[in-house]
Amino acid sequence: MKAGRALLRSGIDAIDERIIRLLAARQRLTDAMAAFKTADAVRDDQRIAAVLSRMRSQADALDLCPDLVERIWGLLMEASAGRQERRLRAGEEEQARR
């Protein structure tokens, strides 16, 4: 019984490591998207709605809780937008000092 639990935990840990690596890759891409935005126009409500709808549909198809997936993706997108805003504002401040 303990061996089975340890094996399951090992599998969960391996998946968690893959998830964190994918999140880092996602962050690099969202960081790059900042080049196409301004600090005052980081969020695209239509894009956010489309992504959340797509993720809910995928969650449902995979027998995951769509509400949970929507909350997770909402947090991801909000964190990405905040990071983009901070980076863009820092760049604007740096340019203003020149």
Side-chain angles (χ1 to χ4, degrees):
M1 191 141 203
K2 284 187 178 184
R5 182 172 31 187
L7 184 60
L8 290 172
R9 285 181 175 164
S10 177
I12 291 168
D13 291 346
I15 290 170
D16 288 347
E17 186 169 323
R18 288 193 314 217
I19 290 170
I20 202 78
R21 290 179 186 278
L22 289 170
L23 288 172
R26 186 185 194 286
Q27 181 174 281
R28 287 190 295 275
L29 292 173
T30 59
D31 285 352
M33 283 297 297
F36 300 97
K37 299 179 178 185
T38 65
D40 295 327
V42 168
R43 288 165 182 80
D44 179 342
D45 291 336
Q46 287 182 325
R47 168 75 177 157
I48 291 168
V51 169
L52 291 177
S53 177
R54 183 170 47 93
M55 292 297 103
R56 285 185 67 85
S57 294
Q58 287 184 17
D60 195 43
L62 294 169
D63 198 29
L64 292 169
C65 175
D67 291 340
L68 173 62
V69 170
E70 182 175 353
R71 285 195 307 267
I72 291 168
W73 255 261
L75 287 170
L76 281 172
M77 290 187 292
E78 186 57 35
S80 295
R83 183 176 165 95
Q84 289 172 347
E85 284 174 346
R86 287 188 300 278
R87 298 181 108 188
L88 288 166
R89 291 200 193 288
E92 289 173 357
E93 290 172 8
E94 186 177 314
Q95 283 184 337
R97 281 184 250 142
R98 291 181 185 172

